[in-house]
């Protein structure tokens, strides 16, 4: 029997540039001839009838120099004699849905400023790599821009975003196709390399990368040079988890910073040295929250040798940390640690107040 279209939604009508009167009730083959719909659509109709069920068929419509993607559901309708007498045809625009889904996936998995994978996607990569690290080792690198906070204080947010974008682009250019990159925090990036790299080749690659990343950036007509440092962990065991990787890379970075090295590689010695420092950092944070600092004012005198007298001309404010009831440390002994932990500004603000 003749197959006719019994209904079609407005979106499909607009895509074909037809009114409902031009489409509904007409023979299917006539409609297709008029609108040059591909033979593949006719084949899908036959498949639908033979399977006695609806078939979803994606296709493309060209309308006013615009390409629209559609997803059409073809549903055969059978009478009491099991003859297919009608086709129920409903189409949904797929392009907008795909674009919306793509946009939200981009926001969920990629850093909005640099376009690099974010912490969420990085975790997914690590979850895929870690179970196979024994047979397929990899190198986890935590990369930090030490002086980014200084740049942030001297330039606008727009300039900061532009510089970070340029930095990420430079990181892409100087990394391999199989390398995994991500931005995990404001001044922190992650790079994952193949663990099969020979040590000499790895060192050469890291030194080249640091040299390229430390080249000046032009921002607000001024050259600004990043100070990049790397903390490296060689992962060859499936006993690791992402948090342990991050902790070991952070410890290695701190040690490299203390020794003024461009990068450090994690070892047991790194762990022992840095764990002691982490205890000091934790103590300083507690001291800030509990107000465990005090100031001792030391007088400064001016001596007049002719008159054999001394006159007090100023008071020097000396900062101390009251560790416990019996122990207090002068500033010279703990301020270097405060600087490493990023707490110096907080202590300075307390001191001035």
């Amino acid at each position: 029997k003749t197959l006719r279209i019994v209904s079609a939604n407005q979106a499909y009508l607009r895509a074909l540039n037809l009114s409902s009167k031009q489409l509904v009730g007409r023979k299917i083959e006539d409609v297709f001839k008029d609108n040059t719909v591909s033979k593949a659509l006719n084949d899908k109709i036959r498949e639908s009838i033979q399977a006695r069920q609806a078939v979803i068929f994606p296709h493309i419509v060209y309308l006013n120099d615009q390409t629209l993607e559609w997803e059409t559901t073809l549903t055969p309708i059978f009478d009491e004699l099991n003859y297919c007498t009608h086709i129920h045809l409903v189409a949904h625009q797929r392009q907008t849905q795909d674009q919306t889904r793509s946009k939200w996936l981009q926001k969920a998995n990629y850093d909005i400023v640099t376009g690099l994978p974010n912490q969420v996607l990085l975790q997914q990569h690590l979850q895929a790599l870690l179970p196979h690290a024994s047979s397929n080792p990899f190198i986890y690198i935590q990369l930090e821009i030490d002086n980014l906070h200084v740049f942030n204080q001297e330039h606008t947010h727009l300039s900061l975003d532009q510089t970070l974008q340029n930095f990420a682009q430079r990181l892409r250019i100087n990394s391999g196709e199989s390398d995994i990159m991500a931005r995990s925090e404001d001044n922190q990036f992650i790079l994952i390399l193949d663990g099969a790299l020979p040590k000499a080749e790895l060192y050469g690659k890291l030194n080249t990368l640091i040299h390229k990343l430390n080249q000046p950036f032009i921002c607000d007509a001024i050259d600004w040079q990043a100070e990049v440092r790397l903390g490296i962990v060689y992962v060859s065991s499936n006993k690791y988890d992402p948090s342990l990787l991050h902790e070991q890379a952070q410890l290695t970075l701190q040690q490299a910073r203390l020794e003024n090295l461009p990068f450090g590689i994690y070892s047991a010695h790194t762990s022992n040295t840095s764990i002691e420092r982490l205890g000091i950092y934790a103590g300083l944070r507690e001291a800030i929250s509990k107000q465990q600092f005090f100031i001792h004012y030391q007088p400064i005198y001016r001596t007049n040798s002719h008159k054999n007298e001394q006159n007090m001309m100023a008071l020097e404010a000396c900062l101390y940390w009251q560790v416990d009831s019996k122990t207090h440390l002068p500033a010279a002994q703990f301020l270097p640690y405060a600087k490493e932990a990023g707490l110096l500004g907080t202590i300075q603000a307390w001191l001035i107040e």
Side-chain angles (χ1 to χ4, degrees):
K1 293 190 177 183
T2 302
L3 301 180
R4 297 181 183 273
I5 294 176
V6 67
S7 64
N9 67 351
Q10 290 297 314
Y12 190 74
L13 294 173
R14 286 196 298 271
L16 295 179
N17 201 22
L18 292 172
S19 66
S20 59
K21 291 181 180 179
Q22 292 174 295
L23 187 63
V24 175
R26 293 182 59 192
K27 295 179 181 180
I28 290 176
E29 57 266 28
D30 292 342
V31 173
F32 288 172
K33 286 177 185 176
D34 291 349
N35 294 280
T36 323
V37 178
S38 68
K39 178 179 178 295
L41 190 54
N42 289 290
D43 294 339
K44 280 291 178 182
I45 292 176
R46 280 195 292 274
E47 179 184 332
S48 176
I49 294 171
Q50 290 170 1
R52 300 180 61 82
Q53 62 185 13
V55 172
I56 297 175
F57 176 59
H59 61 104
I60 297 175
V61 176
Y62 299 96
L63 179 63
N64 299 330
D65 297 326
Q66 184 181 7
T67 302
L68 301 177
E69 293 186 22
W70 297 82
E71 203 167 69
T72 304
T73 303
L74 300 167
T75 306
I77 301 172
F78 295 85
D79 62 13
E80 65 278 3
L81 298 176
N82 285 328
Y83 285 111
C84 179
T85 55
H86 294 83
I87 294 290
H88 181 75
L89 186 150
V90 179
H92 301 280
Q93 187 173 358
R94 196 179 58 177
Q95 186 181 42
T96 302
Q97 294 172 350
D98 286 352
Q99 286 177 346
T100 302
R101 181 173 181 272
S102 176
K103 180 176 70 174
W104 284 109
L105 282 175
Q106 183 77 16
K107 286 186 176 182
N109 294 314
Y110 292 86
D111 177 58
I112 194 170
V113 175
T114 63
L116 292 175
N118 62 13
Q119 188 71 24
V120 174
L121 194 52
L122 174 63
Q123 293 296 315
Q124 294 177 18
H125 284 306
L126 289 174
Q127 294 294 350
L129 291 170
L130 286 170
H132 310 287
S134 297
S135 54
N136 295 298
F138 62 91
I139 300 165
Y140 181 88
I141 300 174
Q142 189 167 300
L143 184 155
E144 286 192 3
I145 308 173
D146 280 353
N147 58 338
L148 190 65
H149 66 285
V150 177
F151 180 92
N152 194 19
Q153 292 171 357
E154 298 174 350
H155 297 81
T156 64
H157 287 296
L158 186 62
S159 299
L160 176 65
D161 288 352
Q162 184 63 53
T163 300
L164 285 170
Q165 289 167 10
N166 293 337
F167 184 88
Q169 181 63 18
R170 195 176 285 182
L171 182 61
R172 288 190 192 96
I173 292 172
N174 292 284
S175 299
E177 291 183 4
S178 61
D179 299 341
I180 297 173
M181 289 162 282
R183 184 187 180 199
S184 56
E185 295 179 15
D186 289 344
N187 69 329
Q188 190 178 98
F189 296 80
I190 302 298
L191 185 61
I192 298 176
L193 308 179
D194 183 2
L197 280 175
K199 185 177 289 188
E201 186 178 340
L202 172 64
Y203 283 9
K205 183 170 183 173
L206 293 177
N207 282 316
T208 301
L209 179 64
I210 292 171
H211 174 73
K212 295 289 186 181
L213 294 177
N214 282 342
Q215 293 299 307
F217 293 89
I218 298 176
C219 182
D220 300 334
I222 300 173
D223 285 354
W224 178 77
Q225 186 169 1
E227 296 175 5
V228 174
R229 211 175 300 274
L230 311 181
I232 303 163
V233 181
Y234 183 78
V235 185
S236 58
S237 167
N238 54 12
K239 295 181 180 179
Y240 275 89
D241 61 51
S243 60
L244 179 60
L245 268 181
H246 176 78
E247 179 184 329
Q248 290 187 353
Q250 192 69 34
L251 292 174
T252 308
L253 258 175
Q254 292 170 359
Q255 191 66 27
R257 194 175 289 116
L258 289 172
E259 298 176 7
N260 197 27
L261 297 173
F263 63 84
I265 298 177
Y266 179 81
S267 66
H269 172 72
T270 303
S271 178
N272 294 335
T273 304
S274 299
I275 286 174
E276 180 183 346
R277 291 187 173 283
L278 287 178
I280 298 175
Y281 300 157
L284 281 169
R285 290 189 180 91
E286 184 179 2
I288 291 171
S289 64
K290 293 184 178 181
Q291 302 281 305
Q292 293 177 342
F293 300 108
F294 68 91
I295 301 171
H296 173 72
Y297 293 97
Q298 179 173 311
I300 299 175
Y301 292 94
R302 174 182 291 158
T303 302
N304 190 329
S305 56
H306 298 291
K307 296 183 179 181
N308 195 24
E309 61 181 16
Q310 291 182 329
N311 296 317
M312 188 174 70
M313 55 176 291
L315 291 172
E316 180 184 8
C318 300
L319 178 66
Y320 289 87
W321 173 13
Q322 189 73 49
V323 180
D324 53 42
S325 58
K326 296 181 179 180
T327 308
H328 58 271
L329 299 178
Q333 292 187 22
F334 65 83
L335 284 185
Y337 296 100
K339 184 177 181 181
E340 293 169 14
L343 302 173
L344 190 58
T346 306
I347 295 174
Q348 286 175 337
W350 179 89
L351 179 61
I352 292 171
E353 185 181 347

